[in-house]
Amino acid sequence: MITSAPYQFSELAQFHVHRLQFMNEQSELTQALPAFATDETLLELYRLMCFTRSGDEKAVNLQRTGQCGTYPASTGQEAISTGIGHAMADSDVFCPYYRDQGTLLQRGVRWEDIYTYWGGDEAGNLIPEAVNTHDFPVSVPIASQFQYAAGIAFAMAYRGESNAVVATGGEGSTSEGDFHEALNLAGTHQLPLVVVINNNQWAISVPRDSQTSSQTIAQKGIAAGVDCLQVDGNDVIAVREAVALALEKARSKGGPTLIEALSYRLCDHTTADDFSRYADEAHLKAAKEHEPIARMRRYLTEHHQWNDDKENALLSDLNSHVQEAAQTYLNRSKPKIDDMFNHMYAHLPKELEEQRELAKEGY
Amino acid sequence: MTAITLIQAINQAMAYALKHDPDTLVFGEDVGHNGGVFRATDTLQERFGKERVVDTPLAESMIAGMAIGMASYGLKPIAEFQFMGFIYPAFNQIVSHAARLRNRTRGRLHCPLVFRAPYGGGIHAPEHHSESTEALFAHIPGLRVVIPSTPARAYGLLLAAWQDPDPVLFLEPKRIYRALKQEVPDDGKALPLDKAFLVREGKDLTLISWGACMQETLQAAQSLSQQGVESDVIDLASISPIDMETILNSVTKTGRCMIVHEAARQGGVGADIAARLAEEALCYLRAPVVRVTGYDTTMPYMALEKQYMPSVQRILKHAQTVMEFA
């Protein structure tokens, strides 16, 4: 510390980082549940997390059998995406990264859309049943989504609307300049933006400790003048409530929030990755103990007469949904050469019209 | 009507846009109270308010991303990068999102925005302030790149860029910001995008250029005319897409073509035009297509910038070779 030098330093400011949790690793409540957490809602959140996992498993299976492209599953992180989606209103806008399946399913994106996209067809981003047509497709280039999310929030503020934007990323994305630039803009203009970071401990093979020496990811908001919070990302109730609080604040002109949700990636980065090359078995085993679905199931079993029969009925129902979505995806007509050209511009330049015809003729 | 400079025409176009469309916003570094470092946005904040003419934090990627988000949500952003030499942090946003949002959502979302940036050398600016890297952007499908060369075209093309439903990179030749004056009626009339301008007609040679280099190109055409060589001079204006129809109409007539640009030669826009002529007009060519360009060196700092940029003398030297080719 340079303040150990023999001078008088005056303290200018103090900062605090807080954490929110309602249900711990043993499925015990650490405080009274928030108002939204009725029996019915908890069951619904559980169902959504299981739906996310079922659909992910199907996507990986499709990829392994040559019927889908590289796919990023969200195993072990379902509480984060599910909590975000449940907290958002239709009028809010979502700017996802690529591990938000649980949110997408609540934004009108169907599994067949997700399979279509990762199956290699941009038509998967059409989202015919979108709850908000302004929702962005997944951002593949890391952290770039925070910038246009801030732009949408800027537009909402300019128009005097009372909605907000949610953007997501992994902890690796918080090393990018775009993350800091977007937070800085959001702080400067007190924009209605909520950034949720899924700190799943891995950026492909690089562990969290090699990513930053920042004690928390949440505190990265402080420098930008952005309210920040860490939540237990395996506690869907905490994620849902934290995002709801942040959205409520954003919608009532209270400014942006950065939420770090702690989780653990219990899967390969994508189907093109091999977790076993770099993950420590013991860590993985410990992380499995904390995973969100098992945690909620234990709670429901202890407090809501959840049992194997109910569990099996639920999984079988979700599975048939997912099977049906996969079949719809597989039955979809494949994109045509026209699709490659037709949406490049509102008015296709002559040159591209010519190239389209040449492409069709095999040149 | 008073004659105005190219930068005043740009200011006039933005004022027109702000006046006629409440969804239009102008933003960037120093564009507010200061009116931009070149005064392109002079008095706009005063006239249209701080909500619509906004000084942003100093972050180019953010400026681009901000514009993309706003445009996707229905606003009409006109964003300024202070110098083209500082646009590179925004490259990812421009290439990965602005240029492909329409395509990757199959038309569900789109990005009607204008990115403005002063570009080019010749004003004795510090290092990194004088580049002409339009070819980097011309290579990006989904993006339009437009460069005006007169006050009237600056006004008409900027309005066209503003009205276009797709992202447009509007590069401003800062060397001639104040070099020319023209009467430019503030009538809101846009010029067509995707069209080159045939600005001088002749039967012997086609000269193609854009931006500030149009000055040297036109002077060279004048000198050549005194020597009995009459040139078609084309202001390309739309760097992407390229209006090959206008070029082919001219070159099939003259059989000789020179392309003049300030940017480095390798991978420059001139290379693309030359390749297209080889593909589509080979039998009409009576001489090799020649490029008079910046050298394939880093854009030099001001002591050597004059030697780097195509001069009238260099154009004439090359023209002699082209005209003498049997």
Side-chain angles (χ1 to χ4, degrees):
Chain A
M1 296 279 270
I2 58 166
T3 46
S4 60
Y7 307 113
Q8 285 188 2
F9 292 88
S10 52
E11 186 177 290
L12 277 181
Q14 277 192 348
F15 303 104
H16 303 281
V17 181
H18 294 99
R19 181 171 189 267
L20 182 69
Q21 185 192 53
F22 290 94
M23 187 190 292
N24 68 16
E25 290 79 354
Q26 287 76 43
S27 307
E28 297 156 351
L29 296 185
T30 53
Q31 59 177 313
L33 289 176
F36 84 84
T38 60
D39 295 0
E40 202 179 43
T41 309
L42 292 183
L43 276 170
E44 171 65 3
L45 290 171
Y46 181 66
R47 192 190 72 82
L48 286 164
M49 290 195 292
C50 291
F51 193 30
T52 303
R53 190 166 292 182
S54 298
D56 267 355
E57 282 166 0
K58 185 70 199 172
V60 172
N61 179 270
L62 286 167
Q63 192 280 333
R64 297 294 187 226
T65 53
Q67 299 172 97
C68 182
T70 298
Y71 181 78
S74 61
T75 320
Q77 304 140 81
E78 295 88 348
I80 299 171
S81 58
T82 298
I84 294 170
H86 205 265
M88 288 180 73
D90 290 358
S91 57
D92 297 325
V93 171
F94 188 47
C95 295
Y97 81 129
Y98 44 76
R99 234 182 278 284
D100 293 302
Q101 289 84 337
T103 315
L104 298 180
L105 294 171
Q106 297 173 77
R107 303 294 297 171
V109 181
R110 304 160 301 181
W111 273 117
E112 64 216 61
D113 299 320
I114 296 174
Y115 298 154
T116 300
Y117 174 71
W118 293 103
D121 184 355
E122 291 91 337
N125 288 333
L126 269 169
I127 322 179
E129 294 176 16
V131 299
N132 189 327
T133 53
H134 294 293
D135 278 10
F136 261 65
V138 297
S139 175
V140 181
I142 305 300
S144 54
Q145 67 276 17
F146 302 125
Q147 303 275 35
Y148 54 70
I152 298 170
F154 197 101
M156 287 172 172
Y158 174 71
R159 289 186 162 165
E161 295 176 355
S162 50
N163 45 356
V165 184
V166 178
T168 55
E171 85 283 359
S173 75
T174 71
S175 299
E176 292 269 14
D178 272 6
F179 167 80
H180 296 277
E181 290 184 15
L183 280 188
N184 185 56
L185 176 67
T188 304
H189 288 270
Q190 288 296 291
L191 300 178
L193 175 68
V194 178
V195 170
V196 183
I197 298 300
N198 171 1
N199 178 358
N200 67 13
Q201 316 304 322
W202 295 99
I204 305 189
S205 68
V206 178
R208 189 259 185 240
D209 289 351
S210 305
Q211 200 63 244
T212 175
S213 69
S214 190
Q215 190 185 337
T216 64
I217 299 292
Q219 74 201 58
K220 294 191 178 194
I222 292 171
V226 171
D227 207 1
C228 59
L229 181 72
Q230 187 185 77
V231 299
D232 181 343
N234 290 323
D235 172 3
V236 68
I237 303 165
V239 176
R240 200 281 184 193
E241 184 61 9
V243 176
L245 288 171
L247 279 170
E248 206 174 288
K249 178 169 76 94
R251 293 185 199 119
S252 54
K253 323 257 176 277
T257 306
L258 170 64
I259 298 171
E260 171 190 13
L262 277 174
S263 71
Y264 198 93
R265 201 188 75 209
L266 292 174
C267 53
D268 301 321
H269 162 68
T270 65
T271 50
D273 174 46
D274 178 4
F275 201 18
S276 69
R277 283 170 60 86
Y278 50 83
D280 184 277
E281 271 299 317
H283 274 157
L284 204 56
K285 203 160 166 260
K288 275 186 183 154
E289 300 290 311
H290 302 153
E291 71 101 357
I293 293 183
R295 187 184 298 194
M296 183 57 97
R297 187 188 307 135
R298 220 161 26 229
Y299 181 82
L300 294 174
T301 307
E302 286 167 20
H303 300 274
H304 296 278
Q305 296 88 43
W306 193 253
N307 56 37
D308 286 350
D309 288 347
K310 289 181 182 172
E311 176 79 9
N312 291 335
L314 173 68
L315 293 185
S316 146
D317 178 48
L318 296 177
N319 197 40
S320 61
H321 266 91
V322 162
Q323 290 294 354
E324 204 179 308
Q327 206 49 55
T328 307
Y329 152 65
L330 293 169
N331 292 344
R332 264 185 85 104
S333 51
K334 298 290 167 224
K336 298 184 175 57
I337 282 177
D338 288 278
D339 297 319
M340 180 160 65
F341 291 91
N342 288 356
H343 299 288
M344 285 306 304
Y345 298 87
H347 314 292
L348 202 63
K350 198 167 150 277
E351 301 283 311
L352 273 184
E353 279 178 14
E354 286 167 15
Q355 282 186 27
R356 181 178 60 191
E357 293 319 302
L358 286 171
K360 285 201 238 179
E361 288 162 19
Y363 285 101
Chain B
M1 195 188 306
T2 333
I4 58 171
T5 62
L6 195 146
I7 196 154
Q8 285 170 326
I10 285 165
N11 182 278
Q12 183 172 295
M14 282 193 281
Y16 183 92
L18 285 161
K19 189 174 164 194
H20 289 85
D21 175 22
D23 282 339
T24 294
L25 279 84
V26 167
F27 53 91
E29 297 154 11
D30 305 295
V31 304
H33 181 72
N34 196 37
V37 293
F38 289 102
R39 308 289 174 263
T41 54
D42 198 26
T43 74
L44 294 183
Q45 191 180 65
E46 209 175 293
R47 290 154 69 191
F48 299 100
K50 282 185 171 174
E51 271 68 45
R52 302 188 60 205
V53 181
V54 184
D55 278 325
T56 65
L58 204 167
E60 288 78 11
S61 177
M62 183 216 75
I63 290 170
M66 189 176 159
I68 292 162
M70 289 161 79
S72 79
Y73 203 67
L75 298 186
K76 240 344 209 204
I78 303 176
E80 176 179 305
F81 298 108
Q82 202 160 74
F83 288 88
M84 192 184 200
F86 307 137
I87 205 171
Y88 311 116
F91 203 61
N92 185 41
Q93 290 290 335
I94 297 171
V95 174
S96 301
H97 295 303
R100 58 195 289 163
L101 188 61
R102 178 187 292 282
N103 183 59
R104 73 187 294 259
T105 60
R106 289 295 187 253
R108 182 171 64 86
L109 291 173
H110 65 294
C111 221
L113 56 79
V114 184
F115 292 128
R116 293 178 40 245
Y119 89 105
I123 63 158
H124 310 296
E127 212 187 342
H128 299 285
H129 286 66
S130 301
E131 355 295 299
S132 305
T133 49
E134 66 272 19
L136 294 179
F137 296 91
H139 191 65
I140 306 304
L143 184 68
R144 280 192 161 77
V145 183
V146 175
I147 298 180
S149 69
T150 67
R153 264 167 255 156
Y155 179 80
L157 289 172
L158 184 50
L159 285 179
W162 168 66
Q163 289 168 3
D164 195 77
D166 288 306
V168 180
L169 177 63
F170 189 82
L171 297 172
E172 300 166 3
K174 61 180 176 288
R175 178 157 63 93
I176 56 166
Y177 260 161
R178 292 179 172 81
L180 315 166
K181 279 193 169 185
Q182 264 181 327
E183 288 186 355
V184 183
D186 191 11
D187 54 10
K189 279 192 188 146
L191 286 164
L193 287 182
D194 303 1
K195 279 301 280 179
F197 298 89
L198 180 64
V199 299
R200 183 186 172 110
E201 290 190 57
K203 62 183 187 337
D204 305 316
L205 174 65
T206 302
L207 295 170
I208 303 169
S209 190
W210 52 90
C213 280
M214 279 299 293
Q215 294 306 305
E216 288 72 31
T217 305
L218 283 165
Q219 285 167 39
Q222 182 66 33
S223 290
L224 288 167
S225 174
Q226 284 157 10
Q227 299 161 33
V229 174
E230 298 301 336
S231 306
D232 266 2
V233 178
I234 294 172
D235 173 9
L236 192 64
S238 176
I239 307 305
S240 179
I242 293 172
D243 173 14
M244 276 311 291
E245 196 179 336
T246 298
I247 293 174
L248 286 167
N249 281 343
S250 171
V251 176
T252 52
K253 173 184 72 180
T254 62
R256 298 175 202 266
C257 179
M258 290 171 59
I259 304 145
V260 183
H261 63 65
E262 207 175 297
R265 190 175 67 176
Q266 179 167 308
V269 174
D272 213 74
I273 296 170
R276 293 291 300 278
L277 289 173
E279 284 169 353
E280 293 170 45
L282 186 65
C283 298
Y284 294 91
L285 289 174
R286 287 152 55 186
V289 176
V290 164
R291 291 169 288 163
V292 186
T293 69
Y295 301 107
D296 291 338
T297 65
T298 300
M299 173 73 199
Y301 194 6
M302 61 187 174
L304 282 172
E305 67 178 341
K306 208 170 170 193
Q307 283 82 343
Y308 172 89
M309 297 196 298
S311 60
V312 177
Q313 290 69 30
R314 270 177 71 196
I315 299 170
L316 290 174
K317 271 190 137 164
H318 284 284
Q320 194 177 353
T321 318
V322 170
M323 294 314 297
E324 284 169 1
F325 193 90

